[in-house]
Amino acid sequence: MKILVAGLHAPNAPRLAALLGADHDVQAASALPAQGPIEADVLVTNRLGADEAARFQGRLVHVPGAGVDAISQDALPAACPVCNVHGHEIPIAEYVTHALLDHFLQPWRLPTELDARAWPAVYAARPYHREAAGSTVAILGYGHIGEEIGRRVRALGMRVIAVTRSGKVDADIVPDEIVTTAQLEDVLPRCAALVLCCPLTPETRGRVGAAALEALGPDGLLINVARAEVADEQALYACLADGRLGRAVLDVWYRYPAEGEVDVAPSAFPIHALPNVRCTPHVSALTPGLLERRYAFIADNIRALAAGTPLRGVVRAAR
Amino acid sequence: MKILVAGLHAPNAPRLAALLGADHDVQAASALPAQGPIEADVLVTNRLGADEAARFQGRLVHVPGAGVDAISQDALPAACPVCNVHGHEIPIAEYVTHALLDHFLQPWRLPTELDARAWPAVYAARPYHREAAGSTVAILGYGHIGEEIGRRVRALGMRVIAVTRSGKVDADIVPDEIVTTAQLEDVLPRCAALVLCCPLTPETRGRVGAAALEALGPDGLLINVARAEVADEQALYACLADGRLGRAVLDVWYRYPAEGEVDVAPSAFPIHALPNVRCTPHVSALTPGLLERRYAFIADNIRALAAGTPLRGVVRAAR
């Protein structure tokens, strides 16, 4: 089969080719053709506009990640399924656990000079920090990622409130409390932190606005590893800037640069310049281990497609 | 009863007085009298020289921490027990978990500028980091602290090798592997990190020398939250300086300033100036929660002493 690895993920084409061997033809394309049919059996991409989707006549669109919000599913031919792949829950849960511990331990408050002159004064005035244990964290979206976060923060002795659409969870790591999305603002005053790790959907877009951020409050921490747009951009900036929200650790952004684009700000507001925000450039899942797990999964699915056996990670079934 | 809270911990006398109420007389003393009897029923201190111990005629020495290595137990009157108190295992385990995640996530490698000019280039060149999951950590000393570290790092998907004197552990959180102290150098080549959280004893003093540090190796991380002297001072400096050991996170030191002392270096070697060391000023357990737990425990023990009921945390029984 012909497999096209497109866009941001094109550099991973050799990795997939190595996994699939000589039976398949794997090609990289930093951009998809601007017109005419998109000729491939399998398209590996995390971004597919409606016009592109309509021109794809292949057998499978495989997103090399979890989020399918940038795939125009409705424009795809009915017979073409869409698959996604997980595996990023481990590094993302590590990123979130680190961000939580950072928030309680506040290592930036510690003096960095420990020479003979500094040591006596530093030792005499050692700052106290806080404990994560005993605090409560709300997790908006308790899927693969939320559960792995839950596993780690419960071992820290933190309480977990899962906030889900249904008010139920399907998970081995059971949260201390489960509420519906409508109850988010009710539970946040009891929470030291809110972690966003839900998909971006019409229901979650902008769901975390001023009311939620104010309920989290001036001592609260927001961690966003989902999609930026789950938090209302203007409310987030305003609440952080005037202290209604204490701190934020943000790994996802409102604007991403296209290939070759310059002078693109990650937000329309100078969120990155606020002193109470830690900004990272969408790296929470960026580990070699993630790529190994993901492309092994994608290669398995391509072999399954070739063999006519069932696909895994089907987000949209062939119709 | 008269209770003397002495030395470094003297500022906590009001906290203890508030817990004990009017039945007991709690006094603070930044230093013990230089001669003559030390008159108190209970002495709360983490440091007691042989001369001081011989002059104490009271009924209990209560260390407001776990380490009793600075108490000259042999010089105490035979009838005087020594108690210690735990509770620091929670903040110390949080400190260690944070240090481990820091080591794998390497947040210092991330660009901090995310303005419109920087964002496209930063996004195009995002650095990969490593995962804690799947790595192995050796924990030298698997007591209260070691077990709480074990609980947290196992939830991170790390393997735990407990290294203990007996080759056995008495713990609910069972390590993946248990070896004796003699086998330390044998297991370290398989470990990403070594955490020191054992008591300082004649057997552990200097136990971690060049052989252990080289076995941990140029990618390895040493975390010391025990006592500095468990790691040989000269070997630690030399191995970090020439890269035989990758990194260290050190919260405990070879020299502590006495009250009013100036120009005291934390080590005879400029460990603090090495780029691959993170130094903190003995803060791993320094949380308000710790003080609350500790002084509640000490107050309970003082009430037990007054009532003639059994003491908890007895390190040395009355003889």
Side-chain angles (χ1 to χ4, degrees):
Chain A
M1 290 197 297
K2 179 176 170 188
I3 296 117
L4 199 58
V5 185
L8 188 66
H9 296 273
N12 292 308
R15 178 187 299 270
L16 187 59
L19 287 164
L20 288 170
D23 295 347
H24 300 277
D25 170 25
V26 180
Q27 297 184 12
S30 59
L32 290 170
Q35 56 185 22
I38 297 171
E39 290 175 346
D41 296 294
V42 179
L43 182 57
V44 177
T45 186
N46 65 344
R47 193 170 287 272
L48 194 66
D51 165 64
E52 294 165 329
R55 289 185 284 119
F56 178 60
Q57 302 298 324
R59 299 168 61 190
L60 171 64
V61 171
H62 210 309
V63 175
V68 296
D69 47 280
I71 303 290
S72 297
Q73 297 187 40
D74 293 344
L76 275 173
C80 179
V82 176
C83 289
N84 73 351
V85 50
H86 294 275
H88 58 317
E89 57 272 14
I90 290 172
I92 291 181
E94 292 187 358
Y95 174 99
V96 169
T97 306
H98 180 264
L100 284 168
L101 284 170
D102 236 27
H103 184 64
F104 289 102
L105 274 62
Q106 303 178 288
W108 55 81
R109 291 176 59 227
L110 292 174
T112 51
E113 271 298 327
L114 278 195
D115 60 12
R117 186 164 300 232
W119 180 219
V122 162
Y123 187 65
R126 295 177 293 163
Y128 279 71
H129 62 265
R130 298 175 296 177
E131 294 175 3
S135 286
T136 301
V137 58
I139 302 178
L140 180 60
Y142 203 79
H144 292 76
I145 299 173
E147 183 175 8
E148 289 301 327
I149 295 169
R151 183 192 307 278
R152 287 157 179 79
V153 303
R154 280 180 57 100
L156 286 172
M158 300 187 78
R159 277 178 54 82
V160 171
I161 303 178
V163 184
T164 70
R165 192 165 44 173
S166 64
K168 294 174 189 159
V169 303
D170 174 19
D172 293 332
I173 306 293
V174 181
D176 297 280
E177 198 176 333
I178 311 167
V179 300
T180 65
T181 316
Q183 297 169 278
L184 176 65
E185 285 79 3
D186 299 335
V187 301
L188 286 178
R190 293 189 273 128
C191 296
L194 168 63
V195 181
L196 310 184
C197 52
C198 56
L200 179 65
T201 67
E203 289 157 324
T204 63
R205 182 178 292 272
R207 175 63 187 85
V208 176
L213 300 174
E214 287 169 13
L216 190 54
D219 291 325
L221 170 70
L222 176 77
I223 302 175
N224 196 352
V225 288
R227 289 288 185 263
E229 296 84 353
V230 176
D232 181 83
E233 188 171 3
Q234 183 158 18
L236 178 61
Y237 175 72
C239 288
L240 284 165
D242 66 17
R244 276 174 287 163
L245 173 64
R247 281 185 68 237
V249 175
L250 306 172
D251 191 48
V252 288
W253 295 98
Y254 298 91
R255 314 275 181 287
Y256 287 88
E259 177 86 13
E261 203 178 3
V262 294
D263 270 333
V264 186
S267 166
F269 302 92
I271 295 176
H272 66 273
L274 293 170
N276 51 344
V277 181
R278 176 164 148 73
C279 304
T280 59
H282 209 133
V283 294
S284 61
L286 213 61
T287 62
L290 172 75
L291 287 182
E292 283 167 25
R293 289 190 296 273
R294 278 194 175 169
Y295 281 91
F297 184 100
I298 294 171
D300 280 349
N301 255 356
I302 289 169
R303 289 190 205 100
L305 184 71
T309 55
L311 299 172
R312 292 189 301 152
V314 177
V315 176
R316 177 191 116 126
R319 292 167 188 168
Chain B
M1 291 201 296
K2 180 177 169 187
I3 297 116
L4 198 59
V5 185
L8 187 66
H9 295 272
N12 291 309
R15 179 187 297 269
L16 187 58
L19 287 164
L20 287 171
D23 296 346
H24 300 278
D25 171 24
V26 180
Q27 297 184 13
S30 61
L32 291 170
Q35 55 186 19
I38 296 172
E39 290 175 344
D41 297 294
V42 179
L43 182 58
V44 177
T45 185
N46 68 343
R47 193 170 288 272
L48 194 67
D51 165 64
E52 294 165 329
R55 288 185 285 118
F56 179 57
Q57 302 299 324
R59 299 168 60 190
L60 172 63
V61 171
H62 210 309
V63 174
V68 295
D69 48 281
I71 303 290
S72 296
Q73 297 186 40
D74 294 343
L76 275 174
C80 179
V82 176
C83 289
N84 73 351
V85 48
H86 294 275
H88 58 317
E89 57 271 15
I90 290 171
I92 292 182
E94 292 187 359
Y95 175 100
V96 169
T97 307
H98 181 264
L100 284 167
L101 285 170
D102 237 26
H103 184 65
F104 289 102
L105 273 63
Q106 303 178 290
W108 55 81
R109 291 176 60 225
L110 292 173
T112 51
E113 272 297 329
L114 277 195
D115 60 13
R117 187 163 299 229
W119 179 220
V122 161
Y123 187 66
R126 295 177 291 164
Y128 279 72
H129 62 264
R130 299 174 296 177
E131 293 175 5
S135 285
T136 301
V137 58
I139 302 179
L140 180 60
Y142 203 79
H144 291 77
I145 299 172
E147 183 175 7
E148 288 301 327
I149 296 168
R151 183 193 307 278
R152 287 157 180 79
V153 303
R154 281 180 55 100
L156 286 172
M158 300 187 77
R159 278 176 54 83
V160 171
I161 303 179
V163 184
T164 71
R165 193 165 44 173
S166 64
K168 294 173 187 160
V169 303
D170 174 21
D172 293 332
I173 306 295
V174 181
D176 297 281
E177 197 175 335
I178 311 169
V179 301
T180 66
T181 316
Q183 297 168 278
L184 176 65
E185 284 79 2
D186 299 335
V187 300
L188 286 178
R190 293 191 272 129
C191 295
L194 167 63
V195 181
L196 309 184
C197 53
C198 55
L200 180 64
T201 67
E203 288 158 323
T204 62
R205 183 179 291 273
R207 174 64 188 82
V208 176
L213 300 174
E214 286 169 13
L216 190 53
D219 290 326
L221 170 69
L222 176 76
I223 302 176
N224 195 352
V225 288
R227 289 287 184 262
E229 296 84 354
V230 175
D232 181 84
E233 189 172 3
Q234 183 157 17
L236 177 61
Y237 175 72
C239 288
L240 283 165
D242 67 16
R244 277 175 286 165
L245 173 64
R247 281 186 68 235
V249 175
L250 306 172
D251 190 47
V252 289
W253 294 98
Y254 297 92
R255 313 276 181 286
Y256 286 89
E259 176 86 12
E261 203 178 5
V262 295
D263 269 333
V264 187
S267 165
F269 301 92
I271 295 177
H272 66 273
L274 293 170
N276 50 344
V277 181
R278 177 166 147 72
C279 303
T280 59
H282 209 133
V283 294
S284 62
L286 213 61
T287 63
L290 171 74
L291 287 182
E292 283 167 26
R293 289 190 296 272
R294 278 195 175 169
Y295 282 93
F297 184 98
I298 293 172
D300 281 348
N301 255 356
I302 289 169
R303 288 190 206 100
L305 183 70
T309 55
L311 300 171
R312 293 189 300 152
V314 176
V315 176
R316 174 190 118 127
R319 290 165 190 171

